[in-house]
PDB file of all heavy atoms in Angstrom:
ATOM      1  N   ASP Y  29     161.201-123.425  98.196  1.00 91.00           N
ATOM      2  CA  ASP Y  29     162.092-124.552  97.979  1.00 91.00           C
ATOM      3  C   ASP Y  29     163.436-124.336  98.644  1.00 91.00           C
ATOM      4  O   ASP Y  29     164.041-125.237  99.263  1.00 91.00           O
ATOM      5  CB  ASP Y  29     162.231-124.828  96.500  1.00 91.00           C
ATOM      6  CG  ASP Y  29     162.965-126.106  96.224  1.00 91.00           C
ATOM      7  OD1 ASP Y  29     162.554-127.165  96.775  1.00 91.00           O
ATOM      8  OD2 ASP Y  29     163.955-126.082  95.443  1.00 91.00           O
ATOM      9  N   SER Y  30     163.953-123.096  98.558  1.00 94.00           N
ATOM     10  CA  SER Y  30     165.271-122.763  99.109  1.00 94.00           C
ATOM     11  C   SER Y  30     165.237-122.875 100.674  1.00 94.00           C
ATOM     12  O   SER Y  30     166.316-122.969 101.272  1.00 94.00           O
ATOM     13  CB  SER Y  30     165.702-121.402  98.701  1.00 94.00           C
ATOM     14  OG  SER Y  30     164.955-120.386  99.369  1.00 94.00           O
ATOM     15  N   ARG Y  31     164.030-122.950 101.212  1.00 94.00           N
ATOM     16  CA  ARG Y  31     163.896-123.066 102.682  1.00 94.00           C
ATOM     17  C   ARG Y  31     163.312-124.402 103.095  1.00 94.00           C
ATOM     18  O   ARG Y  31     162.873-124.594 104.235  1.00 94.00           O
ATOM     19  CB  ARG Y  31     163.036-121.922 103.220  1.00 94.00           C
ATOM     20  CG  ARG Y  31     163.817-120.635 103.264  1.00 94.00           C
ATOM     21  CD  ARG Y  31     162.973-119.405 103.176  1.00 94.00           C
ATOM     22  NE  ARG Y  31     163.777-118.212 103.281  1.00 94.00           N
ATOM     23  CZ  ARG Y  31     164.587-117.723 102.317  1.00 94.00           C
ATOM     24  NH1 ARG Y  31     164.751-118.381 101.192  1.00 94.00           N
ATOM     25  NH2 ARG Y  31     165.260-116.603 102.475  1.00 94.00           N
ATOM     26  N   GLY Y  32     163.331-125.345 102.156  1.00 93.00           N
ATOM     27  CA  GLY Y  32     162.884-126.704 102.457  1.00 93.00           C
ATOM     28  C   GLY Y  32     161.369-126.871 102.524  1.00 93.00           C
ATOM     29  O   GLY Y  32     160.880-127.851 103.088  1.00 93.00           O
ATOM     30  N   CYS Y  33     160.645-125.965 101.892  1.00 91.00           N
ATOM     31  CA  CYS Y  33     159.173-126.068 101.861  1.00 91.00           C
ATOM     32  C   CYS Y  33     158.695-126.463 100.474  1.00 91.00           C
ATOM     33  O   CYS Y  33     159.393-126.280  99.497  1.00 91.00           O
ATOM     34  CB  CYS Y  33     158.535-124.685 102.183  1.00 91.00           C
ATOM     35  SG  CYS Y  33     158.912-124.103 103.815  1.00 91.00           S
ATOM     36  N   ARG Y  34     157.524-127.004 100.403  1.00 89.00           N
ATOM     37  CA  ARG Y  34     156.947-127.429  99.146  1.00 89.00           C
ATOM     38  C   ARG Y  34     155.659-126.623  98.928  1.00 89.00           C
ATOM     39  O   ARG Y  34     154.768-126.619  99.779  1.00 89.00           O
ATOM     40  CB  ARG Y  34     156.651-128.920  99.145  1.00 89.00           C
ATOM     41  CG  ARG Y  34     155.941-129.446  97.956  1.00 89.00           C
ATOM     42  CD  ARG Y  34     156.944-129.771  96.834  1.00 89.00           C
ATOM     43  NE  ARG Y  34     156.270-129.831  95.547  1.00 89.00           N
ATOM     44  CZ  ARG Y  34     155.561-130.811  95.090  1.00 89.00           C
ATOM     45  NH1 ARG Y  34     155.462-131.921  95.758  1.00 89.00           N
ATOM     46  NH2 ARG Y  34     154.991-130.752  93.906  1.00 89.00           N
ATOM     47  N   LEU Y  35     155.554-125.936  97.802  1.00 89.00           N
ATOM     48  CA  LEU Y  35     154.373-125.140  97.473  1.00 89.00           C
ATOM     49  C   LEU Y  35     153.403-125.976  96.635  1.00 89.00           C
ATOM     50  O   LEU Y  35     153.818-126.620  95.649  1.00 89.00           O
ATOM     51  CB  LEU Y  35     154.779-123.907  96.692  1.00 89.00           C
ATOM     52  CG  LEU Y  35     153.670-122.975  96.222  1.00 89.00           C
ATOM     53  CD1 LEU Y  35     152.929-122.367  97.394  1.00 89.00           C
ATOM     54  CD2 LEU Y  35     154.226-121.854  95.336  1.00 89.00           C
ATOM     55  N   HIS Y  36     152.137-125.956  97.005  1.00 89.00           N
ATOM     56  CA  HIS Y  36     151.097-126.643  96.265  1.00 89.00           C
ATOM     57  C   HIS Y  36     150.010-125.570  95.937  1.00 89.00           C
ATOM     58  O   HIS Y  36     149.612-124.812  96.819  1.00 89.00           O
ATOM     59  CB  HIS Y  36     150.413-127.752  97.094  1.00 89.00           C
ATOM     60  CG  HIS Y  36     151.369-128.725  97.622  1.00 89.00           C
ATOM     61  ND1 HIS Y  36     151.744-129.855  96.949  1.00 89.00           N
ATOM     62  CD2 HIS Y  36     152.069-128.759  98.811  1.00 89.00           C
ATOM     63  CE1 HIS Y  36     152.602-130.541  97.671  1.00 89.00           C
ATOM     64  NE2 HIS Y  36     152.821-129.903  98.793  1.00 89.00           N
ATOM     65  N   ILE Y  37     149.549-125.565  94.701  1.00 87.00           N
ATOM     66  CA  ILE Y  37     148.474-124.634  94.329  1.00 87.00           C
ATOM     67  C   ILE Y  37     147.228-125.455  94.082  1.00 87.00           C
ATOM     68  O   ILE Y  37     147.121-126.163  93.082  1.00 87.00           O
ATOM     69  CB  ILE Y  37     148.858-123.793  93.104  1.00 87.00           C
ATOM     70  CG1 ILE Y  37     150.092-122.953  93.448  1.00 87.00           C
ATOM     71  CG2 ILE Y  37     147.706-122.941  92.667  1.00 87.00           C
ATOM     72  CD1 ILE Y  37     150.631-122.126  92.332  1.00 87.00           C
ATOM     73  N   ALA Y  38     146.292-125.347  95.022  1.00 89.00           N
ATOM     74  CA  ALA Y  38     145.026-126.075  94.890  1.00 89.00           C
ATOM     75  C   ALA Y  38     144.108-125.325  93.941  1.00 89.00           C
ATOM     76  O   ALA Y  38     144.184-124.090  93.816  1.00 89.00           O
ATOM     77  CB  ALA Y  38     144.351-126.187  96.294  1.00 89.00           C
ATOM     78  N   GLY Y  39     143.252-126.071  93.276  1.00 85.00           N
ATOM     79  CA  GLY Y  39     142.302-125.467  92.318  1.00 85.00           C
ATOM     80  C   GLY Y  39     142.761-125.557  90.890  1.00 85.00           C
ATOM     81  O   GLY Y  39     142.411-124.727  90.050  1.00 85.00           O
ATOM     82  N   ALA Y  40     143.544-126.590  90.560  1.00 81.00           N
ATOM     83  CA  ALA Y  40     144.063-126.768  89.236  1.00 81.00           C
ATOM     84  C   ALA Y  40     143.003-126.960  88.174  1.00 81.00           C
ATOM     85  O   ALA Y  40     143.244-126.731  87.010  1.00 81.00           O
ATOM     86  CB  ALA Y  40     145.065-127.928  89.182  1.00 81.00           C
ATOM     87  N   GLU Y  41     141.813-127.364  88.571  1.00 86.00           N
ATOM     88  CA  GLU Y  41     140.741-127.550  87.621  1.00 86.00           C
ATOM     89  C   GLU Y  41     140.213-126.196  87.122  1.00 86.00           C
ATOM     90  O   GLU Y  41     139.476-126.118  86.163  1.00 86.00           O
ATOM     91  CB  GLU Y  41     139.612-128.354  88.229  1.00 86.00           C
ATOM     92  CG  GLU Y  41     138.912-127.715  89.425  1.00 86.00           C
ATOM     93  CD  GLU Y  41     139.672-127.919  90.743  1.00 86.00           C
ATOM     94  OE1 GLU Y  41     140.704-128.579  90.804  1.00 86.00           O
ATOM     95  OE2 GLU Y  41     139.191-127.377  91.746  1.00 86.00           O
ATOM     96  N   ASN Y  42     140.647-125.106  87.797  1.00 86.00           N
ATOM     97  CA  ASN Y  42     140.261-123.750  87.400  1.00 86.00           C
ATOM     98  C   ASN Y  42     141.192-123.296  86.259  1.00 86.00           C
ATOM     99  O   ASN Y  42     142.367-123.063  86.460  1.00 86.00           O
ATOM    100  CB  ASN Y  42     140.387-122.827  88.603  1.00 86.00           C
ATOM    101  CG  ASN Y  42     139.998-121.418  88.343  1.00 86.00           C
ATOM    102  OD1 ASN Y  42     139.808-121.001  87.208  1.00 86.00           O
ATOM    103  ND2 ASN Y  42     139.923-120.631  89.432  1.00 86.00           N
ATOM    104  N   ALA Y  43     140.635-123.152  85.081  1.00 87.00           N
ATOM    105  CA  ALA Y  43     141.438-122.801  83.912  1.00 87.00           C
ATOM    106  C   ALA Y  43     142.104-121.431  84.053  1.00 87.00           C
ATOM    107  O   ALA Y  43     143.223-121.206  83.548  1.00 87.00           O
ATOM    108  CB  ALA Y  43     140.575-122.784  82.620  1.00 87.00           C
ATOM    109  N   ALA Y  44     141.484-120.493  84.786  1.00 87.00           N
ATOM    110  CA  ALA Y  44     142.084-119.207  85.016  1.00 87.00           C
ATOM    111  C   ALA Y  44     143.411-119.294  85.759  1.00 87.00           C
ATOM    112  O   ALA Y  44     144.305-118.474  85.602  1.00 87.00           O
ATOM    113  CB  ALA Y  44     141.112-118.307  85.802  1.00 87.00           C
ATOM    114  N   VAL Y  45     143.559-120.332  86.560  1.00 85.00           N
ATOM    115  CA  VAL Y  45     144.806-120.573  87.300  1.00 85.00           C
ATOM    116  C   VAL Y  45     145.729-121.470  86.530  1.00 85.00           C
ATOM    117  O   VAL Y  45     146.934-121.215  86.381  1.00 85.00           O
ATOM    118  CB  VAL Y  45     144.472-121.228  88.680  1.00 85.00           C
ATOM    119  CG1 VAL Y  45     145.739-121.648  89.398  1.00 85.00           C
ATOM    120  CG2 VAL Y  45     143.693-120.232  89.553  1.00 85.00           C
ATOM    121  N   ALA Y  46     145.229-122.545  86.002  1.00 86.00           N
ATOM    122  CA  ALA Y  46     146.055-123.564  85.349  1.00 86.00           C
ATOM    123  C   ALA Y  46     146.754-123.054  84.099  1.00 86.00           C
ATOM    124  O   ALA Y  46     147.925-123.321  83.901  1.00 86.00           O
ATOM    125  CB  ALA Y  46     145.212-124.792  85.046  1.00 86.00           C
ATOM    126  N   GLU Y  47     146.011-122.387  83.242  1.00 87.00           N
ATOM    127  CA  GLU Y  47     146.593-121.970  81.941  1.00 87.00           C
ATOM    128  C   GLU Y  47     147.831-121.089  82.063  1.00 87.00           C
ATOM    129  O   GLU Y  47     148.875-121.380  81.439  1.00 87.00           O
ATOM    130  CB  GLU Y  47     145.555-121.352  81.055  1.00 87.00           C
ATOM    131  CG  GLU Y  47     144.523-122.380  80.571  1.00 87.00           C
ATOM    132  CD  GLU Y  47     143.414-121.773  79.755  1.00 87.00           C
ATOM    133  OE1 GLU Y  47     143.565-120.620  79.302  1.00 87.00           O
ATOM    134  OE2 GLU Y  47     142.409-122.474  79.547  1.00 87.00           O
TER     135      GLU Y  47
END
Side-chain angles (χ1 to χ4, degrees):
D29 188 53
S30 72
R31 284 155 177 72
C33 297
R34 175 85 200 279
L35 178 64
H36 306 271
I37 298 177
E41 62 279 357
N42 180 350
V45 172
E47 289 178 15

